[in-house]
Amino acid sequence: MPGAIYAEGLVKTFGDVKALDGVDLDVPEGTVLGLLGPNGAGKTTTVRCLTTLLRPDRGRALVAGIDVLKDPVRVRRSIGLSGQFAAVDEYLTGRENLQMVGRLYQMKAGPAKARAAELLERFDLAEAADRPTKTYSGGMRRRLDLAAALVVSPPVMFMDEPTTGLDPRNRQLLWEVIKQLVSGGTTLLLTTQYLEEADHLAHDIAVVDHGRVIARGTSDQLKARTGGERVEVVVHERDAMATAAEVLRGFGKGDTTVEDHTRKLTVPVTGGAKLLAEVIRELDGRGIEIDDIGLRRPTLDDVFLSLTGHAAETADDESDKETAS
Amino acid sequence: MSGMSMVSDSLVIARRNLIRMTRIPEMVLFGVIQPVMFVVLFTYVFGGSMSVGGSTDPDVYKNFLMAGIFAQTVTFATAGSAAGIADDMQKGLVDRFRSLPMARGAVLTGRTVADLVQTCITLTVLAIVALIVGWRTGSAEPTNAGRVLGAFGLLLLLGYAFTWIGALIGLSVRTPEAATSGGIIWLFPVTFISNAFVDASQMTPWLRHIAEWNPFSATVQACRELFGNPGVVQSDAWPMQHPVWASLIWSVLIVGVFRTLAVRKYRAADG
């Protein structure tokens, strides 16, 4: 039984650029899949194919059990889309925007109005409801865009980089909203460039590169493949490095790396912040002065490095080279 | 999608575009100022030196001119449609609409209907200014209110038809800026190689031929005839002999062709 979002061998070519090169996905109902990858990896194209905006050259996709290629109109009734660019009319008020979207989902005027009021309240936009959205902050606009995607409480939601460009506070706010939504049983496909975001929101993560899913799993599984967390210490005195290395070896789950010229020691660990505190206490107890210490979690770059051998930022250049050759 | 949804969805979109107009009144204002400027410039600058049907009387030219200016004005709505739709594409609104279970042609139809409302406003203001500078219906031949209203009807239909060309342009370019210029530059040859501002019978034969078969000329000729204004060209060309029919046929044909092309393009828009 395929999940609420299911794709098999999606291929999409623009000119001689292969944006999708056989994408397979399966998202069980009520779960969140984070589609993680750098710019140009094929995240947005995947979302556009699944939301009927783009016709894949090859492959098959089902959303809410409906064939995307054969019955796009019925798919549109079951999905909500919140794009990378906040797609609201800047000259309409927040209320007018939501009412319009409700009407276009074929709601009657009365219910569309009531639903708009309810969503404005829920997304903390009630006060700004009757101002043109041009006057909204980036975070408010993003919330309105998300509200527009939720007008009919669709069972399947797509969010294309919902927090890109938002400040940390607004990102946090949006995360809360998304979590609430998912706890209500919505199936969500979310694209992001931030491992932290996928970690926070997604049950499962699919890493995309060059139009393919190159790895899949829970965030713990991916991190394990990437090498997991590391403690990084910079000691003040070069003389203390040997002692520090000895301390770290006691906590580490692997070899300790020592960089003499920067006085930096790195060791893979498990145990997170609690372990970090212990390391600090132990170093302190031995009278070692620390310039800097931190728990380093794998970043998107680390994931990419370990999975593909190239860093995330260079993925674009790589694909350019490939298409040129 | 049912016909009902096509109508109601188009109205929802038209309403949205009309609300935008009230929030950006300067756009409506500039839409009005430009043709008013043309009326004043052509009337007072060219008026004294233009010959219509052998007469160089400025009053004759004035009455000759208005049908041309009216027709040119309604076609300039093309740029507004093109820019509006290109803007919706760029801002991601078209993506939002295309992901909704709404009638496929409604976004474009709603836009062209809203543009028609703007054209009505512009044309009303323009007619008043024309009356102020001395334009009179029935100045050459007798006419009546029904015929005058008929002429305005043909003008609005022509304007509506041209906004569908604008819709296609808006979907075909990358930015609203490109849409604005792309929506307007081709209108200069179309509206000037015509009978709008000069007596086409005085053009060199090949140019005259183009002018007489120019869809735009048919409406101008029809308006002159219905307004009872001077300058109705005597010609062998069918559109000049049956300008009202020619105007109707051209406009309906333009809507048919460009609506089909634009809706197809909208459906396939890769944004």
Side-chain angles (χ1 to χ4, degrees):
Chain A
M1 172 81 191
I5 303 170
Y6 176 80
E8 199 185 293
L10 291 183
V11 173
K12 181 74 195 177
T13 312
F14 297 108
D16 48 312
V17 179
K18 211 160 204 179
L20 299 184
D21 192 10
V23 168
D24 302 314
L25 294 171
D26 192 358
V27 189
E29 204 177 311
T31 68
V32 182
L33 175 73
L35 215 52
L36 183 70
N39 282 326
K43 302 188 301 285
T44 299
T45 309
T46 304
V47 170
R48 292 178 66 86
C49 284
L50 292 172
T51 52
T52 78
L53 295 179
L54 204 60
R55 226 186 141 77
D57 301 332
R58 265 190 290 138
R60 203 163 79 92
L62 299 175
V63 170
I66 309 158
D67 193 310
V68 173
L69 290 169
K70 288 189 189 133
D71 205 349
V73 178
R74 263 181 68 214
V75 169
R76 288 182 201 120
R77 281 187 213 135
S78 310
I79 60 169
L81 169 65
S82 177
Q84 196 175 141
F85 305 98
V88 292
D89 189 317
E90 54 188 351
Y91 289 100
L92 262 55
T93 66
R95 191 186 306 279
E96 286 163 345
N97 265 295
L98 293 183
Q99 284 178 9
M100 172 178 75
V101 171
R103 298 286 280 135
L104 295 175
Y105 266 117
Q106 312 303 320
M107 290 169 83
K108 299 263 173 266
K113 203 169 168 178
R115 180 63 175 158
E118 189 187 322
L119 285 167
L120 289 163
E121 197 67 50
R122 176 165 153 208
F123 283 84
D124 200 17
L125 291 166
E127 249 173 75
D130 297 307
R131 270 175 20 213
T133 61
K134 213 177 165 47
T135 65
Y136 286 19
S137 68
M140 289 164 79
R141 242 185 263 199
R142 210 58 81 93
R143 291 210 298 278
L144 184 67
D145 185 65
L146 186 53
L150 294 175
V151 166
V152 291
S153 314
V156 181
M157 284 279 301
F158 294 88
M159 294 186 196
D160 192 10
E161 302 198 5
T163 65
T164 298
L166 287 188
D167 59 51
R169 197 184 67 91
N170 273 304
R171 175 168 301 170
Q172 208 70 42
L173 268 170
L174 215 65
W175 282 1
E176 288 313 311
V177 172
I178 293 170
K179 278 186 191 163
Q180 271 177 33
L181 189 73
V182 172
S183 67
T186 306
T187 308
L188 170 65
L189 188 149
L190 161 105
T191 77
T192 181
Q193 299 191 43
Y194 310 116
L195 185 63
E196 192 197 357
E197 183 161 285
D199 203 2
H200 212 80
L201 298 171
H203 299 106
D204 265 317
I205 297 173
V207 181
V208 194
D209 192 33
H210 298 323
R212 277 172 191 277
V213 176
I214 54 168
R216 255 207 89 130
T218 64
S219 99
D220 284 343
Q221 287 167 342
L222 284 176
K223 279 182 188 164
R225 286 180 64 171
T226 312
E229 300 166 330
R230 289 181 289 272
V231 167
E232 261 181 28
V233 186
V234 178
V235 296
H236 189 68
E237 306 270 354
R238 184 155 303 199
D239 297 345
M241 287 185 74
T243 325
E246 195 190 312
V247 171
L248 290 180
R249 263 194 292 279
F251 290 99
K253 298 285 172 203
D255 293 341
T256 306
T257 337
V258 180
E259 282 177 39
D260 271 325
H261 61 290
T262 53
R263 303 184 310 281
K264 185 159 92 179
L265 302 101
T266 310
V267 67
V269 295
T270 52
K274 193 158 165 277
L275 182 113
L276 181 65
E278 284 170 32
V279 173
I280 295 171
R281 269 197 296 276
E282 181 70 25
L283 289 169
D284 206 36
R286 299 215 189 178
I288 299 170
E289 220 181 312
I290 305 165
D291 275 357
D292 190 20
I293 186 163
L295 191 64
R296 199 164 164 251
R297 293 200 162 87
T299 61
L300 178 60
D301 266 355
D302 298 326
V303 172
F304 262 79
L305 270 169
S306 77
L307 290 173
T308 67
H310 67 77
E313 294 104 72
T314 60
D316 279 318
D317 307 335
E318 294 280 329
S319 74
D320 286 347
K321 261 181 242 158
E322 250 171 43
T323 53
S325 60
Chain B
M1 197 59 56
S2 72
M4 192 53 223
S5 142
M6 178 66 206
V7 174
S8 63
D9 289 352
S10 299
L11 287 175
V12 169
I13 298 290
R15 184 168 176 272
R16 168 230 163 193
N17 284 313
L18 290 172
I19 293 174
R20 280 174 72 93
M21 266 178 218
T22 65
R23 308 265 154 85
I24 326 169
E26 61 271 27
M27 282 206 354
V28 182
L29 194 68
F30 290 141
V32 173
I33 288 175
Q34 186 260 337
V36 166
M37 234 158 56
F38 268 40
V39 165
V40 174
L41 287 176
F42 274 92
T43 306
Y44 296 107
V45 179
F46 292 168
S49 52
M50 292 297 221
S51 141
V52 176
S55 162
T56 52
D57 181 350
D59 274 344
V60 172
Y61 183 69
K62 198 184 289 168
N63 282 308
F64 165 83
L65 172 72
M66 292 311 163
I69 299 257
F70 290 168
Q72 190 190 43
T73 301
V74 300
T75 61
F76 277 17
T78 310
S81 312
I85 284 166
D87 192 47
D88 285 354
M89 295 264 289
Q90 199 185 41
K91 300 256 162 73
L93 270 160
V94 165
D95 274 356
R96 156 88 66 219
F97 291 138
R98 287 177 72 234
S99 77
L100 294 175
M102 60 183 287
R104 299 279 85 187
V107 169
L108 303 178
T109 306
R111 175 80 222 182
T112 54
V113 168
D115 287 331
L116 185 62
V117 174
Q118 153 124 39
T119 304
C120 280
I121 297 169
T122 309
L123 209 50
T124 307
V125 175
L126 199 56
I128 293 168
V129 173
L131 287 169
I132 292 170
V133 301
W135 170 61
R136 294 292 176 264
T137 58
S139 67
E141 300 287 335
T143 184
N144 58 44
R147 286 168 70 86
V148 171
L149 284 177
F152 280 109
L154 288 179
L155 286 167
L156 291 175
L157 184 63
L158 180 76
Y160 184 71
F162 272 58
T163 54
W164 278 105
I165 304 179
L168 185 64
I169 294 171
L171 290 168
S172 309
V173 297
R174 282 189 185 80
T175 66
E177 292 76 21
T180 308
S181 41
I184 216 154
I185 38 173
W186 61 278
L187 284 169
F188 285 101
V190 167
T191 56
F192 280 96
I193 305 175
S194 78
N195 57 355
F197 303 103
V198 293
D199 189 345
S201 60
Q202 293 167 8
M203 292 178 180
T204 50
W206 66 273
L207 210 55
R208 173 185 172 157
H209 205 67
I210 296 175
E212 287 177 348
W213 282 88
N214 182 347
F216 177 77
S217 295
T219 304
V220 175
Q221 173 100 333
C223 287
R224 285 195 183 121
E225 198 175 286
L226 294 172
F227 284 149
N229 281 153
V232 176
V233 185
Q234 300 306 314
S235 163
D236 295 339
W238 188 86
M240 293 296 103
Q241 288 172 345
H242 309 277
V244 174
W245 281 110
S247 170
L248 279 171
I249 292 169
W250 274 123
S251 292
V252 170
L253 204 65
I254 292 170
V255 173
V257 170
F258 284 90
R259 187 177 197 283
T260 309
L261 291 175
V263 172
R264 187 178 301 167
K265 183 115 192 150
Y266 172 86
R267 284 186 182 178
D270 289 346

